mmCIF file of all heavy atoms in Angstrom:
data_model
loop_
_atom_site.group_PDB
_atom_site.id
_atom_site.type_symbol
_atom_site.label_atom_id
_atom_site.label_comp_id
_atom_site.label_asym_id
_atom_site.label_seq_id
_atom_site.Cartn_x
_atom_site.Cartn_y
_atom_site.Cartn_z
ATOM 1 N N ASN A 1 0.792 -1.207 0.003
ATOM 2 C CA ASN A 1 0.018 0.004 0.033
ATOM 3 C C ASN A 1 0.878 1.250 -0.045
ATOM 4 O O ASN A 1 0.987 1.925 0.997
ATOM 5 C CB ASN A 1 -0.921 0.022 1.157
ATOM 6 C CG ASN A 1 -1.932 1.095 1.165
ATOM 7 O OD1 ASN A 1 -2.033 1.885 0.200
ATOM 8 N ND2 ASN A 1 -2.790 1.233 2.225
ATOM 9 N N PRO A 2 1.552 1.516 -1.079
ATOM 10 C CA PRO A 2 2.568 2.629 -1.166
ATOM 11 C C PRO A 2 1.860 3.980 -1.138
ATOM 12 O O PRO A 2 2.534 4.985 -0.849
ATOM 13 C CB PRO A 2 3.212 2.385 -2.517
ATOM 14 C CG PRO A 2 2.227 1.613 -3.320
ATOM 15 C CD PRO A 2 1.491 0.772 -2.387
ATOM 16 N N VAL A 3 0.605 4.027 -1.450
ATOM 17 C CA VAL A 3 -0.137 5.379 -1.424
ATOM 18 C C VAL A 3 -0.392 5.909 -0.088
ATOM 19 O O VAL A 3 0.007 7.027 0.348
ATOM 20 C CB VAL A 3 -1.325 5.337 -2.393
ATOM 21 C CG1 VAL A 3 -2.121 6.628 -2.320
ATOM 22 C CG2 VAL A 3 -1.016 4.897 -3.771
ATOM 23 N N HIS A 4 -1.134 5.125 0.699
ATOM 24 C CA HIS A 4 -1.621 5.443 1.996
ATOM 25 C C HIS A 4 -0.773 4.893 3.120
ATOM 26 O O HIS A 4 -0.838 5.334 4.259
ATOM 27 C CB HIS A 4 -3.035 5.194 2.207
ATOM 28 C CG HIS A 4 -3.941 5.866 1.313
ATOM 29 N ND1 HIS A 4 -4.112 7.267 1.249
ATOM 30 C CD2 HIS A 4 -4.795 5.425 0.380
ATOM 31 C CE1 HIS A 4 -4.985 7.600 0.246
ATOM 32 N NE2 HIS A 4 -5.459 6.452 -0.304
ATOM 33 N N LYS A 5 -0.191 3.754 2.836
ATOM 34 C CA LYS A 5 0.768 3.099 3.852
ATOM 35 C C LYS A 5 0.022 2.772 5.100
ATOM 36 O O LYS A 5 0.517 2.934 6.193
ATOM 37 C CB LYS A 5 1.925 4.038 4.171
ATOM 38 C CG LYS A 5 2.839 4.436 2.986
ATOM 39 C CD LYS A 5 3.914 5.392 3.411
ATOM 40 C CE LYS A 5 4.858 5.809 2.238
ATOM 41 N NZ LYS A 5 4.078 6.534 1.179
ATOM 42 N N LYS A 6 -1.223 2.281 4.899
ATOM 43 C CA LYS A 6 -2.098 1.950 6.029
ATOM 44 C C LYS A 6 -2.648 0.519 5.896
ATOM 45 O O LYS A 6 -2.665 -0.026 4.859
ATOM 46 C CB LYS A 6 -3.314 2.948 6.054
ATOM 47 C CG LYS A 6 -2.931 4.411 6.451
ATOM 48 C CD LYS A 6 -4.189 5.228 6.451
ATOM 49 C CE LYS A 6 -3.819 6.672 6.744
ATOM 50 N NZ LYS A 6 -5.083 7.502 6.794
ATOM 51 N N ILE A 7 -3.013 0.100 7.053
ATOM 52 C CA ILE A 7 -3.706 -1.158 7.036
ATOM 53 C C ILE A 7 -5.336 -0.903 7.066
ATOM 54 O O ILE A 7 -5.663 0.178 7.422
ATOM 55 C CB ILE A 7 -3.350 -2.070 8.365
ATOM 56 C CG1 ILE A 7 -3.684 -1.196 9.612
ATOM 57 C CG2 ILE A 7 -1.974 -2.492 8.365
ATOM 58 C CD1 ILE A 7 -3.566 -1.927 10.919
ATOM 59 N N PRO A 8 -6.039 -1.935 6.699
ATOM 60 C CA PRO A 8 -5.600 -3.277 6.258
ATOM 61 C C PRO A 8 -5.326 -3.389 4.731
ATOM 62 O O PRO A 8 -5.680 -2.482 3.966
ATOM 63 C CB PRO A 8 -6.921 -4.108 6.577
ATOM 64 C CG PRO A 8 -8.032 -3.135 6.289
ATOM 65 C CD PRO A 8 -7.474 -1.761 6.755
ATOM 66 N N VAL A 9 -4.656 -4.412 4.401
ATOM 67 C CA VAL A 9 -4.385 -4.703 3.009
ATOM 68 C C VAL A 9 -4.825 -6.217 2.782
ATOM 69 O O VAL A 9 -4.419 -6.994 3.538
ATOM 70 C CB VAL A 9 -2.896 -4.480 2.547
ATOM 71 C CG1 VAL A 9 -2.727 -4.967 1.113
ATOM 72 C CG2 VAL A 9 -2.505 -3.025 2.746
ATOM 73 N N LEU A 10 -5.593 -6.415 1.797
ATOM 74 C CA LEU A 10 -5.906 -7.766 1.404
ATOM 75 C C LEU A 10 -4.945 -8.180 0.243
ATOM 76 O O LEU A 10 -4.813 -7.493 -0.709
ATOM 77 C CB LEU A 10 -7.331 -7.889 0.979
ATOM 78 C CG LEU A 10 -7.830 -9.275 0.607
ATOM 79 C CD1 LEU A 10 -8.072 -10.177 1.776
ATOM 80 C CD2 LEU A 10 -9.105 -9.216 -0.430
ATOM 81 N N LEU A 11 -4.291 -9.317 0.369
ATOM 82 C CA LEU A 11 -3.468 -9.897 -0.733
ATOM 83 C C LEU A 11 -4.151 -11.154 -1.211
ATOM 84 O O LEU A 11 -4.478 -12.054 -0.515
ATOM 85 C CB LEU A 11 -2.031 -10.244 -0.148
ATOM 86 C CG LEU A 11 -1.267 -9.165 0.434
ATOM 87 C CD1 LEU A 11 0.067 -9.652 1.034
ATOM 88 C CD2 LEU A 11 -0.911 -8.103 -0.664
ATOM 89 N N HIS A 12 -4.531 -11.022 -2.473
ATOM 90 C CA HIS A 12 -5.172 -12.167 -3.157
ATOM 91 C C HIS A 12 -4.389 -12.581 -4.335
ATOM 92 O O HIS A 12 -4.310 -11.885 -5.330
ATOM 93 C CB HIS A 12 -6.637 -11.829 -3.596
ATOM 94 C CG HIS A 12 -7.421 -12.976 -4.131
ATOM 95 N ND1 HIS A 12 -8.382 -12.758 -5.070
ATOM 96 C CD2 HIS A 12 -7.411 -14.277 -3.845
ATOM 97 C CE1 HIS A 12 -8.938 -13.884 -5.315
ATOM 98 N NE2 HIS A 12 -8.332 -14.867 -4.671
ATOM 99 N N HIS A 13 -3.779 -13.820 -4.273
ATOM 100 C CA HIS A 13 -2.929 -14.275 -5.387
ATOM 101 C C HIS A 13 -1.779 -13.181 -5.624
ATOM 102 O O HIS A 13 -1.328 -12.983 -6.756
ATOM 103 C CB HIS A 13 -3.624 -14.552 -6.640
ATOM 104 C CG HIS A 13 -4.547 -15.717 -6.578
ATOM 105 N ND1 HIS A 13 -4.192 -17.006 -6.201
ATOM 106 C CD2 HIS A 13 -5.818 -15.807 -6.919
ATOM 107 C CE1 HIS A 13 -5.134 -17.814 -6.342
ATOM 108 N NE2 HIS A 13 -6.149 -17.144 -6.687
ATOM 109 N N GLY A 14 -1.388 -12.584 -4.505
ATOM 110 C CA GLY A 14 -0.227 -11.583 -4.541
ATOM 111 C C GLY A 14 -0.646 -10.208 -5.035
ATOM 112 O O GLY A 14 0.189 -9.313 -4.943
ATOM 113 N N LYS A 15 -1.910 -10.047 -5.436
ATOM 114 C CA LYS A 15 -2.313 -8.688 -5.713
ATOM 115 C C LYS A 15 -2.950 -8.054 -4.532
ATOM 116 O O LYS A 15 -3.661 -8.630 -3.705
ATOM 117 C CB LYS A 15 -3.426 -8.737 -6.793
ATOM 118 C CG LYS A 15 -3.001 -9.315 -8.111
ATOM 119 C CD LYS A 15 -4.034 -9.375 -9.152
ATOM 120 C CE LYS A 15 -3.483 -9.858 -10.553
ATOM 121 N NZ LYS A 15 -4.599 -9.955 -11.517
ATOM 122 N N ALA A 16 -2.561 -6.756 -4.316
ATOM 123 C CA ALA A 16 -2.902 -5.988 -3.040
ATOM 124 C C ALA A 16 -4.179 -5.139 -3.338
ATOM 125 O O ALA A 16 -4.270 -4.431 -4.334
ATOM 126 C CB ALA A 16 -1.773 -5.150 -2.633
ATOM 127 N N ILE A 17 -5.098 -5.168 -2.381
ATOM 128 C CA ILE A 17 -6.210 -4.286 -2.299
ATOM 129 C C ILE A 17 -6.299 -3.630 -1.026
ATOM 130 O O ILE A 17 -6.189 -4.302 0.087
ATOM 131 C CB ILE A 17 -7.557 -5.078 -2.540
ATOM 132 C CG1 ILE A 17 -7.514 -5.925 -3.901
ATOM 133 C CG2 ILE A 17 -8.765 -4.151 -2.629
ATOM 134 C CD1 ILE A 17 -7.140 -7.292 -3.674
ATOM 135 N N SER A 18 -6.416 -2.234 -0.943
ATOM 136 C CA SER A 18 -6.371 -1.545 0.253
ATOM 137 C C SER A 18 -7.710 -0.807 0.375
ATOM 138 O O SER A 18 -8.580 -0.801 -0.495
ATOM 139 C CB SER A 18 -5.220 -0.593 0.328
ATOM 140 O OG SER A 18 -5.265 0.257 -0.729
ATOM 141 N N GLU A 19 -7.955 -0.235 1.579
ATOM 142 C CA GLU A 19 -9.019 0.530 2.017
ATOM 143 C C GLU A 19 -10.144 -0.536 2.319
ATOM 144 O O GLU A 19 -10.763 -1.156 1.473
ATOM 145 C CB GLU A 19 -9.581 1.528 0.926
ATOM 146 C CG GLU A 19 -8.688 2.607 0.564
ATOM 147 C CD GLU A 19 -8.368 3.487 1.802
ATOM 148 O OE1 GLU A 19 -9.179 3.928 2.503
ATOM 149 O OE2 GLU A 19 -7.082 3.680 2.045
ATOM 150 N N SER A 20 -10.576 -0.599 3.600
ATOM 151 C CA SER A 20 -11.398 -1.631 4.115
ATOM 152 C C SER A 20 -12.717 -1.750 3.463
ATOM 153 O O SER A 20 -13.226 -2.911 3.130
ATOM 154 C CB SER A 20 -11.629 -1.515 5.642
ATOM 155 O OG SER A 20 -12.245 -0.384 5.893
ATOM 156 N N LEU A 21 -13.478 -0.631 3.105
ATOM 157 C CA LEU A 21 -14.654 -0.715 2.471
ATOM 158 C C LEU A 21 -14.570 -1.199 1.045
ATOM 159 O O LEU A 21 -15.496 -1.967 0.583
ATOM 160 C CB LEU A 21 -15.369 0.652 2.444
ATOM 161 C CG LEU A 21 -15.764 1.167 3.900
ATOM 162 C CD1 LEU A 21 -16.428 2.612 3.688
ATOM 163 C CD2 LEU A 21 -16.700 0.258 4.590
ATOM 164 N N LEU A 22 -13.477 -0.890 0.390
ATOM 165 C CA LEU A 22 -13.276 -1.409 -0.977
ATOM 166 C C LEU A 22 -12.962 -2.891 -0.948
ATOM 167 O O LEU A 22 -13.367 -3.679 -1.761
ATOM 168 C CB LEU A 22 -12.155 -0.672 -1.679
ATOM 169 C CG LEU A 22 -12.380 0.837 -1.960
ATOM 170 C CD1 LEU A 22 -11.190 1.496 -2.578
ATOM 171 C CD2 LEU A 22 -13.608 1.089 -2.854
ATOM 172 N N ILE A 23 -12.255 -3.269 0.194
ATOM 173 C CA ILE A 23 -11.935 -4.707 0.296
ATOM 174 C C ILE A 23 -13.248 -5.457 0.504
ATOM 175 O O ILE A 23 -13.346 -6.558 -0.029
ATOM 176 C CB ILE A 23 -10.885 -4.952 1.503
ATOM 177 C CG1 ILE A 23 -9.608 -4.217 1.150
ATOM 178 C CG2 ILE A 23 -10.677 -6.372 1.728
ATOM 179 C CD1 ILE A 23 -8.602 -4.298 2.342
ATOM 180 N N LEU A 24 -14.087 -5.029 1.237
ATOM 181 C CA LEU A 24 -15.416 -5.701 1.560
ATOM 182 C C LEU A 24 -16.095 -5.946 0.165
ATOM 183 O O LEU A 24 -16.672 -7.048 0.021
ATOM 184 C CB LEU A 24 -16.245 -4.885 2.378
ATOM 185 C CG LEU A 24 -15.935 -4.713 3.846
ATOM 186 C CD1 LEU A 24 -16.964 -4.013 4.688
ATOM 187 C CD2 LEU A 24 -15.456 -6.031 4.490
ATOM 188 N N GLU A 25 -16.136 -4.951 -0.652
ATOM 189 C CA GLU A 25 -16.831 -5.155 -2.027
ATOM 190 C C GLU A 25 -16.027 -6.073 -2.876
ATOM 191 O O GLU A 25 -16.638 -6.911 -3.577
ATOM 192 C CB GLU A 25 -16.919 -3.771 -2.755
ATOM 193 C CG GLU A 25 -17.882 -2.763 -2.072
ATOM 194 C CD GLU A 25 -18.456 -1.744 -2.917
ATOM 195 O OE1 GLU A 25 -18.846 -2.106 -4.058
ATOM 196 O OE2 GLU A 25 -18.502 -0.557 -2.508
ATOM 197 N N TYR A 26 -14.721 -6.021 -2.780
ATOM 198 C CA TYR A 26 -13.877 -7.011 -3.589
ATOM 199 C C TYR A 26 -14.146 -8.422 -3.121
ATOM 200 O O TYR A 26 -14.304 -9.301 -4.018
ATOM 201 C CB TYR A 26 -12.423 -6.715 -3.406
ATOM 202 C CG TYR A 26 -11.526 -7.612 -4.093
ATOM 203 C CD1 TYR A 26 -11.211 -7.446 -5.461
ATOM 204 C CD2 TYR A 26 -10.985 -8.736 -3.480
ATOM 205 C CE1 TYR A 26 -10.384 -8.321 -6.185
ATOM 206 C CE2 TYR A 26 -10.137 -9.624 -4.150
ATOM 207 C CZ TYR A 26 -9.925 -9.504 -5.509
ATOM 208 O OH TYR A 26 -9.097 -10.381 -6.211
ATOM 209 N N ILE A 27 -14.221 -8.635 -1.812
ATOM 210 C CA ILE A 27 -14.518 -9.937 -1.309
ATOM 211 C C ILE A 27 -15.936 -10.395 -1.750
ATOM 212 O O ILE A 27 -16.034 -11.626 -2.192
ATOM 213 C CB ILE A 27 -14.444 -9.939 0.180
ATOM 214 C CG1 ILE A 27 -12.993 -9.774 0.652
ATOM 215 C CG2 ILE A 27 -15.014 -11.216 0.830
ATOM 216 C CD1 ILE A 27 -12.789 -9.524 2.130
ATOM 217 N N ASP A 28 -16.844 -9.523 -1.680
ATOM 218 C CA ASP A 28 -18.251 -9.992 -2.105
ATOM 219 C C ASP A 28 -18.364 -10.218 -3.584
ATOM 220 O O ASP A 28 -19.142 -11.143 -3.949
ATOM 221 C CB ASP A 28 -19.169 -8.828 -1.722
ATOM 222 C CG ASP A 28 -20.585 -9.348 -1.615
ATOM 223 O OD1 ASP A 28 -20.767 -10.401 -1.128
ATOM 224 O OD2 ASP A 28 -21.512 -8.494 -1.929
ATOM 225 N N GLU A 29 -17.595 -9.534 -4.340
ATOM 226 C CA GLU A 29 -17.594 -9.785 -5.849
ATOM 227 C C GLU A 29 -16.844 -10.959 -6.259
ATOM 228 O O GLU A 29 -17.167 -11.667 -7.268
ATOM 229 C CB GLU A 29 -17.124 -8.557 -6.611
ATOM 230 C CG GLU A 29 -18.064 -7.356 -6.452
ATOM 231 C CD GLU A 29 -17.493 -6.024 -7.025
ATOM 232 O OE1 GLU A 29 -16.404 -6.154 -7.687
ATOM 233 O OE2 GLU A 29 -18.134 -5.049 -6.995
ATOM 234 N N THR A 30 -15.857 -11.279 -5.423
ATOM 235 C CA THR A 30 -14.961 -12.445 -5.813
ATOM 236 C C THR A 30 -15.471 -13.782 -5.347
ATOM 237 O O THR A 30 -15.439 -14.743 -6.113
ATOM 238 C CB THR A 30 -13.534 -12.248 -5.131
ATOM 239 O OG1 THR A 30 -13.041 -10.935 -5.592
ATOM 240 C CG2 THR A 30 -12.598 -13.354 -5.599
ATOM 241 N N TRP A 31 -16.111 -13.743 -4.153
ATOM 242 C CA TRP A 31 -16.727 -15.013 -3.649
ATOM 243 C C TRP A 31 -18.219 -14.802 -3.497
ATOM 244 O O TRP A 31 -18.671 -14.020 -2.612
ATOM 245 C CB TRP A 31 -16.082 -15.359 -2.318
ATOM 246 C CG TRP A 31 -14.665 -15.715 -2.438
ATOM 247 C CD1 TRP A 31 -14.122 -16.937 -2.927
ATOM 248 C CD2 TRP A 31 -13.449 -14.888 -2.163
ATOM 249 N NE1 TRP A 31 -12.699 -16.911 -2.871
ATOM 250 C CE2 TRP A 31 -12.241 -15.634 -2.424
ATOM 251 C CE3 TRP A 31 -13.257 -13.638 -1.758
ATOM 252 C CZ2 TRP A 31 -11.066 -15.180 -2.253
ATOM 253 C CZ3 TRP A 31 -12.086 -13.085 -1.668
ATOM 254 C CH2 TRP A 31 -10.898 -13.823 -1.880
ATOM 255 N N LYS A 32 -18.974 -15.390 -4.331
ATOM 256 C CA LYS A 32 -20.418 -15.089 -4.467
ATOM 257 C C LYS A 32 -21.306 -15.647 -3.346
ATOM 258 O O LYS A 32 -22.385 -15.085 -3.050
ATOM 259 C CB LYS A 32 -20.951 -15.601 -5.784
ATOM 260 C CG LYS A 32 -20.229 -15.041 -7.055
ATOM 261 C CD LYS A 32 -20.275 -13.581 -7.166
ATOM 262 C CE LYS A 32 -19.652 -13.052 -8.413
ATOM 263 N NZ LYS A 32 -19.732 -11.616 -8.589
ATOM 264 N N ASP A 33 -20.802 -16.648 -2.617
ATOM 265 C CA ASP A 33 -21.682 -17.269 -1.557
ATOM 266 C C ASP A 33 -21.845 -16.328 -0.504
ATOM 267 O O ASP A 33 -20.995 -15.501 -0.138
ATOM 268 C CB ASP A 33 -21.042 -18.577 -1.084
ATOM 269 C CG ASP A 33 -21.038 -19.686 -2.103
ATOM 270 O OD1 ASP A 33 -21.911 -19.534 -3.017
ATOM 271 O OD2 ASP A 33 -20.339 -20.671 -1.941
ATOM 272 N N ASN A 34 -22.994 -16.393 0.200
ATOM 273 C CA ASN A 34 -23.315 -15.488 1.357
ATOM 274 C C ASN A 34 -23.128 -13.999 0.925
ATOM 275 O O ASN A 34 -22.227 -13.367 1.532
ATOM 276 C CB ASN A 34 -22.515 -15.913 2.591
ATOM 277 C CG ASN A 34 -22.643 -17.363 2.966
ATOM 278 O OD1 ASN A 34 -23.776 -17.828 2.972
ATOM 279 N ND2 ASN A 34 -21.563 -17.983 3.399
ATOM 280 N N PRO A 35 -23.856 -13.565 0.023
ATOM 281 C CA PRO A 35 -23.680 -12.179 -0.448
ATOM 282 C C PRO A 35 -23.788 -11.092 0.648
ATOM 283 O O PRO A 35 -24.638 -11.266 1.620
ATOM 284 C CB PRO A 35 -24.740 -11.906 -1.554
ATOM 285 C CG PRO A 35 -25.745 -13.049 -1.225
ATOM 286 C CD PRO A 35 -25.033 -14.210 -0.628
ATOM 287 N N LEU A 36 -22.991 -10.142 0.593
ATOM 288 C CA LEU A 36 -22.980 -9.064 1.614
ATOM 289 C C LEU A 36 -23.734 -7.804 1.073
ATOM 290 O O LEU A 36 -24.438 -7.167 1.885
ATOM 291 C CB LEU A 36 -21.539 -8.641 1.986
ATOM 292 C CG LEU A 36 -20.589 -9.688 2.564
ATOM 293 C CD1 LEU A 36 -19.276 -9.212 2.767
ATOM 294 C CD2 LEU A 36 -21.248 -10.176 3.846
ATOM 295 N N MET A 37 -23.513 -7.474 -0.174
ATOM 296 C CA MET A 37 -24.236 -6.253 -0.745
ATOM 297 C C MET A 37 -25.627 -6.519 -1.103
ATOM 298 O O MET A 37 -25.900 -7.688 -1.601
ATOM 299 C CB MET A 37 -23.439 -5.735 -1.844
ATOM 300 C CG MET A 37 -22.031 -5.206 -1.597
ATOM 301 S SD MET A 37 -22.171 -3.588 -0.598
ATOM 302 C CE MET A 37 -22.727 -2.488 -1.914
ATOM 303 N N PRO A 38 -26.559 -5.660 -0.991
ATOM 304 C CA PRO A 38 -27.898 -5.842 -1.503
ATOM 305 C C PRO A 38 -27.933 -6.043 -3.054
ATOM 306 O O PRO A 38 -27.041 -5.541 -3.747
ATOM 307 C CB PRO A 38 -28.643 -4.488 -1.107
ATOM 308 C CG PRO A 38 -27.769 -3.920 -0.110
ATOM 309 C CD PRO A 38 -26.319 -4.308 -0.420
ATOM 310 N N GLU A 39 -28.949 -6.794 -3.492
ATOM 311 C CA GLU A 39 -29.087 -7.023 -4.916
ATOM 312 C C GLU A 39 -29.568 -5.709 -5.639
ATOM 313 O O GLU A 39 -29.153 -5.408 -6.675
ATOM 314 C CB GLU A 39 -30.085 -8.097 -5.201
ATOM 315 C CG GLU A 39 -29.488 -9.540 -4.778
ATOM 316 C CD GLU A 39 -30.518 -10.634 -5.172
ATOM 317 O OE1 GLU A 39 -31.430 -10.261 -6.028
ATOM 318 O OE2 GLU A 39 -30.304 -11.693 -4.724
ATOM 319 N N ASP A 40 -30.526 -5.012 -5.021
ATOM 320 C CA ASP A 40 -31.080 -3.895 -5.615
ATOM 321 C C ASP A 40 -30.065 -2.666 -5.746
ATOM 322 O O ASP A 40 -29.427 -2.386 -4.822
ATOM 323 C CB ASP A 40 -32.259 -3.437 -4.831
ATOM 324 C CG ASP A 40 -32.913 -2.215 -5.421
ATOM 325 O OD1 ASP A 40 -33.699 -2.269 -6.385
ATOM 326 O OD2 ASP A 40 -32.713 -1.055 -4.858
ATOM 327 N N PRO A 41 -29.925 -2.084 -6.920
ATOM 328 C CA PRO A 41 -28.888 -1.103 -7.144
ATOM 329 C C PRO A 41 -29.069 0.177 -6.166
ATOM 330 O O PRO A 41 -28.117 0.728 -5.699
ATOM 331 C CB PRO A 41 -29.165 -0.594 -8.624
ATOM 332 C CG PRO A 41 -29.678 -1.809 -9.302
ATOM 333 C CD PRO A 41 -30.561 -2.470 -8.262
ATOM 334 N N TYR A 42 -30.389 0.529 -5.978
ATOM 335 C CA TYR A 42 -30.536 1.669 -5.029
ATOM 336 C C TYR A 42 -30.104 1.206 -3.575
ATOM 337 O O TYR A 42 -29.460 2.103 -3.001
ATOM 338 C CB TYR A 42 -32.093 2.031 -5.105
ATOM 339 C CG TYR A 42 -32.384 3.099 -3.953
ATOM 340 C CD1 TYR A 42 -32.152 4.428 -4.269
ATOM 341 C CD2 TYR A 42 -32.935 2.747 -2.732
ATOM 342 C CE1 TYR A 42 -32.409 5.392 -3.303
ATOM 343 C CE2 TYR A 42 -33.158 3.712 -1.768
ATOM 344 C CZ TYR A 42 -32.977 5.067 -2.071
ATOM 345 O OH TYR A 42 -33.258 5.940 -1.123
ATOM 346 N N ASN A 43 -30.454 0.056 -3.203
ATOM 347 C CA ASN A 43 -30.011 -0.311 -1.936
ATOM 348 C C ASN A 43 -28.535 -0.433 -1.761
ATOM 349 O O ASN A 43 -27.959 -0.199 -0.638
ATOM 350 C CB ASN A 43 -30.751 -1.606 -1.501
ATOM 351 C CG ASN A 43 -32.226 -1.505 -1.275
ATOM 352 O OD1 ASN A 43 -32.722 -0.418 -0.914
ATOM 353 N ND2 ASN A 43 -32.982 -2.581 -1.441
ATOM 354 N N ARG A 44 -27.851 -0.877 -2.809
ATOM 355 C CA ARG A 44 -26.437 -0.894 -2.792
ATOM 356 C C ARG A 44 -25.875 0.461 -2.690
ATOM 357 O O ARG A 44 -24.839 0.694 -1.875
ATOM 358 C CB ARG A 44 -25.936 -1.639 -4.135
ATOM 359 C CG ARG A 44 -26.053 -3.108 -4.168
ATOM 360 C CD ARG A 44 -24.994 -3.736 -5.102
ATOM 361 N NE ARG A 44 -25.226 -3.221 -6.455
ATOM 362 C CZ ARG A 44 -26.069 -3.730 -7.331
ATOM 363 N NH1 ARG A 44 -26.695 -4.718 -7.002
ATOM 364 N NH2 ARG A 44 -26.130 -3.213 -8.587
ATOM 365 N N ALA A 45 -26.366 1.412 -3.443
ATOM 366 C CA ALA A 45 -25.936 2.814 -3.380
ATOM 367 C C ALA A 45 -26.066 3.379 -1.925
ATOM 368 O O ALA A 45 -25.231 4.023 -1.398
ATOM 369 C CB ALA A 45 -26.585 3.697 -4.316
ATOM 370 N N MET A 46 -27.230 3.076 -1.317
ATOM 371 C CA MET A 46 -27.553 3.490 0.115
ATOM 372 C C MET A 46 -26.572 2.924 1.078
ATOM 373 O O MET A 46 -26.123 3.591 1.928
ATOM 374 C CB MET A 46 -28.985 3.297 0.400
ATOM 375 C CG MET A 46 -29.985 4.117 -0.331
ATOM 376 S SD MET A 46 -29.738 5.964 0.004
ATOM 377 C CE MET A 46 -28.760 6.452 -1.402
ATOM 378 N N ALA A 47 -26.252 1.667 0.859
ATOM 379 C CA ALA A 47 -25.244 0.927 1.780
ATOM 380 C C ALA A 47 -23.910 1.597 1.674
ATOM 381 O O ALA A 47 -23.297 1.883 2.747
ATOM 382 C CB ALA A 47 -25.253 -0.491 1.401
ATOM 383 N N ARG A 48 -23.516 1.938 0.434
ATOM 384 C CA ARG A 48 -22.190 2.594 0.277
ATOM 385 C C ARG A 48 -22.241 4.039 0.885
ATOM 386 O O ARG A 48 -21.299 4.420 1.551
ATOM 387 C CB ARG A 48 -21.911 2.649 -1.272
ATOM 388 C CG ARG A 48 -21.517 1.362 -1.892
ATOM 389 C CD ARG A 48 -21.144 1.613 -3.264
ATOM 390 N NE ARG A 48 -20.832 0.308 -3.989
ATOM 391 C CZ ARG A 48 -21.589 -0.156 -4.938
ATOM 392 N NH1 ARG A 48 -22.715 0.493 -5.321
ATOM 393 N NH2 ARG A 48 -21.293 -1.298 -5.501
#
């Protein structure tokens, strides 16, 4: 995380993802079981 130099960082197959809220979305999009984000686009926007 050379930009912000902060935790947390998720490493997936050696690729780094930083910023916890972005990591949550990455996890949800990568592993589809037990979805975290709402299906409805409006509800997703409100959650963000």
Side-chain angles (χ1 to χ4, degrees):
N1 188 4
V3 176
H4 298 298
K5 303 177 179 64
K6 294 180 179 179
I7 57 170
V9 176
L10 180 77
L11 299 173
H12 185 210
H13 291 306
K15 295 181 179 179
I17 305 96
S18 57
E19 300 297 311
S20 64
L21 295 179
L22 295 179
I23 295 173
L24 294 185
E25 292 203 46
Y26 177 85
I27 290 171
D28 200 36
E29 293 173 3
T30 303
W31 294 280
K32 303 298 184 180
D33 291 341
N34 302 321
L36 300 175
M37 291 292 286
E39 291 185 13
D40 179 76
Y42 174 79
N43 290 336
R44 283 202 303 271
M46 289 299 96
R48 292 186 181 107

